[in-house]
Amino acid sequence: MHDLVIRNGTIIDGTGASRFAGDLAIDGGKIAGVGGKAGAGRREIDASGLLVAPGWVDIHTHYDGQVAWDPYLSPSSWHGVTTLVMGNCGVGFAPVRRGKEAFLISMMDGVEDIPTATLTAGIDFLWESFPEYLDALGGMKRVLDIGAHVPHCAVRAYVMGERGAANEPATADDIAQMAAIVREGVTAGALGVSTSRTLVHRTRDKAYVPGTFAALDEMIGIGRGLGEAGHGVFEIISDLDGPDADLTWMAKLSAETQRPISLAALISRRSGMKMWQVLDFIRQQNQQGARMVAQVAARPAASLMSLHSSLHPFSTHRSYRQIMAGLNFDERLARLRDPDVRAQILNDQPAVREEQTLAMVSHFQHHFALGDPPDYEPSAERSILAQARAAGRTPQEVAYDTLIERDGRGIIYMPLAYKNYSFDSILPQLTDSATVLSLSDGGAHCGVICDASMPTYLLTHWVRDRNRGERLPLELAIKRQTSDTAALYGLRDRGTLTLGLKADFNLIDFNNLRLHPPEMVFDLPADGRRFIQRVDGYRYTIVNGEVTFEDGEPTGAMPGKVVRGPQAARL
Ligand SMILES: [Zn+2]
């Protein structure tokens, strides 16, 4: 008698192989049979008409704070994610000296837009070292598996104190200490080390995060610390305008240490690089012994503007600020519906000097109403500017009405890089051997972004709904977000539906898989706000053989563990 049997599903095993019909049997949290007809199970689930696919392995999240208070790690868990990796981009909460926690919180707030009050209220710092941090996480219950990087910014601040925070150069002794901490963390089970070399990442006080300008000897020191541990990924976010565009030394370091480098390339204008050049470089270097990969996203980062956001096309208007001051949300909405108020606000101008902010609130050719269902790849005619022209209205009027629709929950979508109003240029990146699917940023950018749904979007948009160009084969899309992401971190015990592997999988009603529009909720500790995004169509999510969600409702099962280091395929 099996513990669990999934009957008559369409199995997509995550290896890229073609789908096949059959049963899945689970014993002791592992896969005990794939395909064909399984014997009886203590519990049986009829999966007729459903896809049976490995759970998503999401390697780029920032749940470092949320893990301390939310066993569900929503919204990622709602979207079928069964393993997530956090501590990306150099930011995280260990190691930390007693009394210095506020600095790490300020960094997470500034870089990832997770409110300081939320992090302060939500995290009980029971650790100092990185191994202690992993132990503390291991003592908490949760619904899915998590893994973490040792964050360089925290390590630098820990070792160098104020000098580290102020981005002073590290001495040879500092570097040796940082390398030792990385080695210790990775040996204890961290899945790698991460660092930030982008000018975009600042603390709440607008200071560059520690290590932004770290010299090569520091980067190489840390990389060698990782190499000595013998496993783990070096995750780097970079503008690619450092020495050697940050590329040549990465390739050398990766070849020398044989540790993979996972690059989130922001590609600033100063660097003059193009994504295809980065991918060419990586392919070339990998042929010569490097192990590099570029992180790519299923859709570009986008700002979501709503009446709950700190920035939207009218939020800087003096009239708007005056009229809205002191009102709660319902009162604000009622006032916005008043024709006199509307006229007054529409006749006013943004009161912004900063060029970039002004562009964000007034470039209506890059603004779109994100409706229900949300369309993340709208054509040029869907822009608020084009819609206004077609209707003989001003773009401000259209933007105003977009924000107050759906009882004030309307959203203006502003993709940050949207070449030719199309995702055609993204498509080849999604399947390139030099890339890995990443950048969902789950748990982060709470007030402006919600991309934790990216794995779902991969299926709804890239496999099923896209009608403005090529789509992806289902089997390939699933492989990219399961076994390929798991393999980068050496997690060979998951990511495919193979005999002996971890029973982490989803039963998906593919035809009815549906993303809801993002919505702002105030459910973080200290009433912090965040965008979430709900989804229909994940009928069951199973982690370690236990059903964790059934039709979107948690079952209460908490089989999640802290993943410590690479995992062998237990065959
Ligand atoms: Zn990140």
Side-chain angles (χ1 to χ4, degrees):
M1 187 80 96
H2 295 296
D3 292 345
L4 175 65
V5 171
I6 311 298
R7 295 268 177 224
N8 304 315
T10 299
I11 297 172
I12 299 183
D13 68 7
T15 65
S18 299
R19 65 198 78 179
F20 53 94
D23 299 345
L24 194 71
I26 290 95
D27 286 322
K30 290 183 191 149
I31 296 167
V34 192
K37 183 111 187 91
R42 267 181 286 280
R43 179 173 184 191
E44 301 205 355
I45 296 174
D46 179 20
S48 306
L50 303 179
L51 300 182
V52 184
W56 306 123
V57 178
D58 185 341
I59 60 169
H60 194 124
T61 77
H62 295 282
Y63 285 110
D64 307 73
Q66 198 172 325
V67 279
W69 67 78
D70 177 14
Y72 291 104
L73 294 168
S74 68
S76 285
S77 62
W78 303 341
H79 289 268
V81 174
T82 54
T83 301
L84 58 80
V85 183
M86 53 188 201
N88 282 282
C89 302
V91 289
F93 295 116
V96 61
R97 285 188 205 283
R98 193 132 308 189
K100 298 290 178 190
E101 298 88 351
F103 177 69
L104 300 188
I105 286 177
S106 147
M107 206 151 58
M108 192 60 88
D109 186 345
V111 173
E112 304 295 348
D113 185 26
I114 305 172
T116 291
T118 291
L119 295 169
T120 307
I123 306 175
D124 193 1
F125 284 87
L126 298 169
W127 55 82
E128 174 164 339
S129 70
F130 199 87
E132 286 165 2
Y133 173 63
L134 286 183
D135 287 345
L137 296 182
M140 302 170 194
K141 287 195 186 323
R142 62 182 62 79
V143 82
L144 47 68
D145 279 3
I146 57 168
H149 297 93
V150 181
H152 176 212
C153 303
V155 175
R156 195 175 211 268
Y158 184 84
V159 168
M160 296 174 61
E162 296 300 317
R163 288 182 302 122
N167 272 300
E168 286 179 28
T171 64
D173 185 50
D174 293 330
I175 294 171
Q177 284 187 54
M178 285 190 262
I181 288 175
V182 168
R183 190 172 56 233
E184 173 194 60
V186 174
T187 304
L191 295 182
V193 60
S194 69
T195 194
S196 172
R197 297 172 75 73
T198 170
L199 302 187
V200 173
H201 284 175
R202 314 275 188 103
T203 67
R204 201 175 52 245
D205 309 320
K206 304 291 168 221
Y208 295 109
V209 297
T212 305
F213 310 105
L216 289 195
D217 55 353
E218 183 174 340
M219 303 316 295
I220 286 164
I222 288 169
R224 287 187 178 146
L226 182 69
E228 284 159 19
H231 65 86
V233 172
F234 200 157
E235 197 267 348
I236 302 175
I237 183 160
S238 167
D239 291 337
L240 298 189
D241 64 352
D244 296 337
D246 272 348
L247 283 169
T248 307
W249 68 260
M250 283 185 207
K252 272 195 209 136
L253 179 67
S254 141
E256 178 203 307
T257 59
Q258 276 304 292
R259 299 318 319 146
I261 288 185
S262 174
L263 170 66
L266 283 184
I267 315 194
S268 73
R269 247 178 247 146
R270 282 182 313 280
S271 80
M273 300 279 299
K274 297 266 184 282
M275 189 63 176
W276 66 264
Q277 291 172 308
V278 174
L279 297 183
D280 271 358
F281 176 87
I282 290 178
R283 262 182 249 110
Q284 210 173 57
Q285 293 296 321
N286 286 354
Q287 272 170 15
Q288 293 160 28
R291 293 177 63 190
M292 289 180 72
V293 71
Q295 301 175 39
V296 294
R299 59 178 192 244
S303 283
L304 304 176
M305 294 193 282
S306 77
L307 291 178
H308 282 303
S309 311
S310 36
L311 195 72
H312 61 67
F314 310 102
S315 61
T316 67
H317 288 34
R318 288 197 181 86
S319 54
Y320 180 88
R321 289 187 171 176
Q322 239 164 37
I323 297 165
M324 298 298 141
L327 302 184
N328 69 29
F329 185 77
D330 291 338
E331 294 163 343
R332 283 164 57 203
L333 184 59
R335 297 289 282 145
L336 288 167
R337 285 175 168 151
D338 178 325
D340 290 340
V341 169
R342 178 187 159 93
Q344 208 182 332
I345 292 172
L346 286 173
N347 282 330
D348 200 357
Q349 300 291 329
V352 189
R353 273 207 207 95
E354 217 240 319
E355 206 179 311
Q356 210 185 340
T357 313
L358 186 61
M360 284 186 70
V361 297
S362 59
H363 281 190
F364 293 107
Q365 70 272 34
H366 299 138
H367 290 186
F368 303 85
L370 190 69
D372 184 6
D375 179 3
Y376 290 97
E377 192 188 2
S379 58
E381 309 85 72
R382 302 295 310 164
S383 81
I384 284 184
L385 182 66
Q387 293 280 298
R389 280 188 181 146
R393 306 167 71 204
T394 68
Q396 285 83 359
E397 286 175 304
V398 175
Y400 192 99
D401 291 342
T402 299
L403 291 174
I404 63 174
E405 76 185 14
R406 294 192 286 118
D407 291 326
R409 289 180 296 130
I411 288 175
I412 293 175
Y413 164 69
M414 190 176 52
L416 301 182
Y418 194 36
K419 229 165 99 193
N420 305 324
Y421 293 92
S422 154
F423 287 174
D424 280 347
S425 61
I426 297 177
L427 180 83
Q429 295 174 10
L430 298 179
T431 57
D432 195 302
S433 65
T435 69
V436 65
L437 293 190
S438 183
L439 303 172
S440 83
D441 266 345
H445 307 295
C446 302
V448 282
I449 295 178
C450 188
D451 285 333
S453 64
M454 262 191 218
T456 303
Y457 186 71
L458 191 66
L459 295 190
T460 53
H461 187 69
W462 283 108
V463 176
R464 190 188 66 196
D465 295 341
R466 187 167 194 253
N467 54 18
R468 300 187 51 218
E470 260 185 85
R471 292 194 285 260
L472 292 179
L474 180 59
E475 287 84 350
L476 177 61
I478 287 178
K479 172 180 186 280
R480 294 292 283 158
Q481 189 66 61
T482 57
S483 58
D484 284 358
T485 45
L488 175 63
Y489 283 84
L491 307 181
R492 306 267 169 203
D493 63 337
R494 66 196 69 203
T496 65
L497 300 178
T498 306
L499 222 52
L501 264 56
K502 238 173 142 285
D504 294 354
F505 59 96
N506 290 301
L507 305 188
I508 302 170
D509 183 355
F510 182 57
N511 293 329
N512 294 306
L513 191 62
R514 182 173 84 91
L515 283 175
H516 291 244
E519 56 184 300
M520 189 74 89
V521 295
F522 294 80
D523 65 349
L524 295 178
D527 300 324
R529 69 174 175 186
R530 59 173 181 151
F531 269 116
I532 57 164
Q533 187 164 27
R534 297 188 180 276
V535 60
D536 299 330
Y538 288 98
R539 295 292 312 283
Y540 294 84
T541 298
I542 287 107
V543 175
N544 226 22
E546 293 188 49
V547 177
T548 52
F549 285 90
E550 208 171 316
D551 284 323
E553 292 297 324
T555 62
M558 294 282 162
K561 297 235 157 50
V562 174
V563 185
R564 289 181 184 254
Q567 305 288 318
R570 281 165 279 173
L571 287 167

